[in-house]
Amino acid sequence: MRLFWEITRRSFRRHLTYRTAALAGLVTNSFFGLVRAAVLVALYGDREVVAGLDVQSIITYTGLTQAVIVYLSIFGWYDLMNAVHQGEISADLLKPMRLFSFWLAQDLGRALVGLVLRGFTIMLVYALIFDISYPAGVAQWGALVVALALSWLLSFAYRFLVNLAAFWSPDAKGIGRFAFVIVMFFSGFLMPLRFFPDWVQTVAYLTPFPHMLNTVVEVYLGVVTGSALVQALLAQALWAFGLVALCQFVLSRATRRLVILGG
Amino acid sequence: MIDVRDLSKHFQVRKRHEGRMAVLRDFVTRETHTVKAVDTVSFNVAKGEVVGYLGPNGAGKSTTIKMLTGLLVPTSGHLTVNGYTPWVSRQTYVARIGAVFGQRTTLWWDLPVIESLELLRYIYRVPEQTFRDNLREFERVLELNEFLTSPVRSLSLGQRMRADLCAALLHDPDLLFLDEPTIGLDVVAKERIRGFVKHINEVRETTVLLTTHDLADVQKLCPRVLIIDHGKLLYDGSLTRLQARFGGKWHLEVDFTEDYADVTVGGAELLHYADQRAVYAFDRRDLSASDLIGRLSARYSLRDISVQEPDVETTVRRIYEEKLLVQDPII
């Protein structure tokens, strides 16, 4: 456990050092957030509420989704893949540590920097420009924290799993690109899932993707409450721990393949 | 400490077609052939030894090291280190060994060296006191303090190698693998690395297995060498013995005071003669250098002489190129 925090701490500090890149990213994410907000507001036209979301909610939605881009690496993450392809992974295998926990700890540091530096700042920018909504009460704030934590774990497990393809294929980047585009659509990043026909939502909820982002958004906006909220968080947890277990299994297969076939 | 018997590693390599439709045939068929990267190799290494592991590129050195460090599973044969089978109990095993690969670093690229080292302390669960003592000692011997707070990416190759050596030894491993630790380094940096390895071996009795292409490393560090080529172990013994057996002839260079028409002398072969200077080759087992000089000075007037012993570099190159040991390995 101590090791985990030491790795997280270092990763956090390391990601803090890229200040110019962070600022550039912040400007880009905010700008596109405002564009998305403007487009959606225009689409609303005279209508007050669409699929249970009013104008204030939809503006808040664009802010939220932009705010978690870095936290959840929505646009993709290829670090493990690169480490495998460049052979750096063998240096990690020579150390007495668990690979999954090691990368998890590193990603936690990265995600926390993303959440603080990018996420909070974007919400602040939004709060200054728009009249956005906020979670009401301790219970909803608590639920949001839980949802955010689970969404990170789930997103990491998914990204890790996708990256493990590198052990089998030298062209795993292509697989990665496809896998991350799917996330953008089915997680409700491009549009809230509520806007889609029922059957699309049904299909989406058979995948882990809505639990990565849509759940966070709906918890924040307060559109899921009561037993539905508990159910949503449970589903998130189930997917997250399920994928973590799958990661461990595939990882053990991957290392066995590596040590038998050679790097 | 290291016990290797009939160790083999075979790789299946995809066969590529040639000629027309080669790409298509590559795509539809999956013919493979077997490459014997390591083929029935046997050796033992005792505690405290420094052993040089030599061989031309592609001989099977790295494959052997990968098996010894648990990164590869052998196709067949027996391999234990300290009673462990490396790839079976990898996590426990790697905690007791150290490894430095000259071509790549085990440190974290973006972190200052000291941060990397401290992280390794947690990974290897090194007690605080041991860590501080070791760090102080290595800092002194490797002169680390000038760059301890710089990020790894900004280090020179020599500095990075020193940092890597320190990292590999902080947890007091019994066994150290060095894979080309002096590659690309200047003379001073090489000396420093060699000095440190010698120090570690003498003070801590750390067993060292070293692969290198720089024979000066071997001459300065390894009383014993193993030579491997095409996956087969060809030689196990000292470099001196190898030199005595395959060293070839000594050379004697002579400057005469005047032009002699004929400077041939019995027992030595005249290789070259021009401008009052002659080069002879002679076998030391038949004729000693002083005898040869005696014979020459009896007949001619000499201004200057120099004796050159055959260098190891040449000997080893001949062993690789002329496959001197392939027919009957000395092991």
Side-chain angles (χ1 to χ4, degrees):
Chain A
M1 212 56 209
R2 179 70 196 271
L3 174 62
F4 192 91
W5 287 115
E6 291 294 333
I7 297 168
T8 304
R9 202 167 59 83
R10 280 169 178 75
S11 170
F12 186 86
R13 285 237 307 265
R14 183 162 69 95
H15 282 93
L16 270 185
T17 52
Y18 305 126
R19 291 204 189 98
T20 330
L23 189 66
L26 178 66
V27 172
T28 316
N29 288 169
S30 307
F31 174 73
F32 277 99
L34 302 184
V35 171
R36 290 176 64 204
V39 170
L40 281 167
V41 169
L43 283 174
Y44 264 62
D46 295 336
R47 279 181 291 187
E48 297 269 302
V49 176
V50 176
L53 299 174
D54 57 15
V55 177
Q56 188 193 33
S57 295
I58 203 69
I59 290 173
T60 313
Y61 156 82
T62 60
L64 270 176
T65 45
Q66 291 297 111
V68 294
I69 286 176
V70 176
Y71 176 62
L72 299 176
S73 290
I74 300 273
F75 293 159
W77 177 81
Y78 302 95
D79 291 5
L80 175 65
M81 215 175 257
N82 293 335
V84 174
H85 284 153
Q86 286 159 19
E88 289 157 17
I89 201 77
S90 55
D92 290 344
L93 287 171
L94 278 173
K95 291 170 188 140
M97 60 183 187
R98 300 180 65 90
L99 266 193
F100 183 80
S101 314
F102 173 71
W103 285 89
L104 184 73
Q106 277 195 321
D107 197 66
L108 182 58
R110 185 202 59 74
L112 287 176
V113 171
L115 188 67
V116 175
L117 241 54
R118 195 74 63 89
F120 289 170
T121 325
I122 287 177
M123 290 315 281
L124 195 69
V125 171
Y126 261 73
L128 292 174
I129 301 176
F130 301 107
D131 172 30
I132 58 169
S133 64
Y134 303 96
V138 180
Q140 204 188 342
W141 275 109
L144 178 67
V145 171
V146 174
L148 268 176
L150 288 171
S151 69
W152 163 73
L153 185 62
L154 176 55
S155 118
F156 175 77
Y158 179 71
R159 284 181 277 129
F160 191 86
L161 205 55
V162 169
N163 274 254
L164 285 178
F167 281 93
W168 280 270
S169 166
D171 322 308
K173 275 253 159 75
I175 299 170
R177 259 179 231 119
F178 176 71
F180 293 128
V181 166
I182 290 186
V183 174
M184 280 204 236
F185 183 80
F186 283 109
S187 66
F189 174 79
L190 295 174
M191 283 284 169
L193 286 178
R194 286 171 176 269
F195 282 15
F196 290 100
D198 282 345
W199 68 270
V200 175
Q201 292 187 46
T202 314
V203 171
Y205 272 93
L206 292 174
T207 71
F209 311 119
H211 308 284
M212 284 180 200
L213 180 56
N214 206 53
T215 306
V216 174
V217 171
E218 297 197 339
V219 169
Y220 183 101
L221 296 177
V223 284
V224 283
T225 45
S227 63
L229 175 64
V230 176
Q231 217 171 8
L233 295 180
L234 274 177
Q236 257 196 317
L238 220 59
W239 272 108
F241 289 105
L243 280 198
V244 168
L246 189 60
C247 281
Q248 308 280 3
F249 173 72
V250 179
L251 178 63
S252 74
R253 295 291 295 259
T255 42
R256 201 177 318 151
R257 188 189 147 85
L258 183 76
V259 296
I260 288 169
L261 296 181
Chain B
M1 171 157 270
I2 303 179
D3 184 16
V4 173
R5 256 176 289 133
D6 294 325
L7 190 69
S8 296
K9 180 69 192 178
H10 299 173
F11 292 108
Q12 300 293 325
V13 179
R14 277 284 292 281
K15 206 176 265 173
R16 297 281 170 198
H17 294 91
E18 282 172 32
R20 290 173 66 194
M21 313 290 277
V23 178
L24 187 67
R25 279 158 67 199
D26 277 347
F27 190 71
V28 291
T29 62
R30 273 190 184 267
E31 290 168 61
T32 58
H33 66 274
T34 307
V35 173
K36 295 178 175 177
V38 173
D39 193 13
T40 56
V41 164
S42 304
F43 62 86
N44 287 290
V45 176
K47 183 171 167 52
E49 270 195 284
V50 182
V51 177
Y53 197 48
L54 305 181
N57 291 325
K61 297 190 302 286
S62 295
T63 308
T64 316
I65 297 279
K66 278 184 182 168
M67 288 192 279
L68 285 169
T69 49
L71 289 178
L72 268 183
V73 178
T75 311
S76 63
H78 169 89
L79 161 58
T80 50
V81 183
N82 256 344
Y84 288 105
T85 308
W87 63 93
V88 174
S89 38
R90 201 185 61 236
Q91 293 244 4
T92 0
Y93 171 67
V94 293
R96 303 295 316 138
I97 63 167
V100 175
F101 296 93
Q103 314 265 28
R104 56 173 54 123
T105 181
T106 51
L107 303 166
W108 288 274
W109 207 239
D110 290 321
L111 290 181
V113 177
I114 185 68
E115 289 270 305
S116 268
L117 298 179
E118 275 168 6
L119 196 53
L120 287 169
R121 168 164 104 74
Y122 294 108
I123 291 176
Y124 287 95
R125 298 194 173 84
V126 184
E128 178 92 49
Q129 191 56 42
T130 318
F131 176 79
R132 257 188 277 133
D133 292 347
N134 279 350
L135 189 60
R136 199 176 309 126
E137 180 185 343
F138 299 156
E139 237 185 295
R140 183 175 50 78
V141 187
L142 287 167
E143 293 164 53
L144 299 176
N145 37 352
E146 45 186 293
F147 56 85
L148 214 47
T149 51
S150 320
V152 175
R153 67 181 130 78
S154 70
L155 302 187
S156 74
L157 189 58
Q159 293 174 331
R160 205 217 76 204
M161 207 70 85
R162 272 139 70 195
D164 259 314
L165 265 175
C166 173
L169 286 158
L170 278 175
H171 57 287
D172 291 329
D174 310 317
L175 175 59
L176 178 64
F177 292 98
L178 298 173
D179 194 4
E180 304 191 31
T182 56
I183 193 163
L185 299 187
D186 66 52
V187 191
V188 182
K190 278 183 182 179
E191 262 321 306
R192 201 182 262 147
I193 301 281
R194 288 172 194 147
F196 180 69
V197 174
K198 212 175 180 67
H199 168 85
I200 285 298
N201 173 255
E202 279 165 6
V203 175
R204 300 172 176 238
E205 284 186 70
T206 310
T207 313
V208 180
L209 190 71
L210 166 89
T211 80
T212 183
H213 288 296
D214 188 334
L215 290 163
D217 290 347
V218 180
Q219 282 178 300
K220 296 208 169 113
L221 289 172
C222 312
R224 176 179 166 205
V225 296
L226 302 170
I227 298 181
I228 186 174
D229 196 4
H230 291 95
K232 289 271 189 194
L233 191 65
L234 299 182
Y235 182 77
D236 183 349
S238 72
L239 211 53
T240 331
R241 190 159 67 104
L242 191 74
Q243 183 73 330
R245 174 79 185 268
F246 296 104
K249 298 187 167 175
W250 288 53
H251 285 187
L252 179 73
E253 207 176 279
V254 183
D255 283 329
F256 301 105
T257 50
E258 52 194 281
D259 279 312
Y260 295 106
D262 177 23
V263 290
T264 50
V265 62
E269 183 192 352
L270 180 64
L271 293 178
H272 180 77
Y273 178 50
D275 299 332
Q276 303 183 0
R277 168 174 292 196
V279 181
Y280 299 92
F282 65 101
D283 195 326
R284 259 212 332 173
R285 279 169 294 191
D286 305 335
L287 180 69
S288 76
S290 63
D291 280 346
L292 179 60
I293 294 166
R295 282 184 201 182
L296 282 166
S297 56
R299 268 193 266 171
Y300 314 107
S301 129
L302 313 177
R303 180 189 298 136
D304 199 5
I305 47 170
S306 74
V307 183
Q308 284 149 12
E309 62 175 309
D311 64 353
V312 199
E313 205 80 42
T314 319
T315 312
V316 173
R317 197 185 67 227
R318 281 183 56 223
I319 289 171
Y320 292 169
E321 281 176 358
E322 298 166 27
K323 313 227 171 300
L324 294 180
L325 283 160
V326 174
Q327 286 311 312
D328 66 307
I330 305 171
I331 41 181

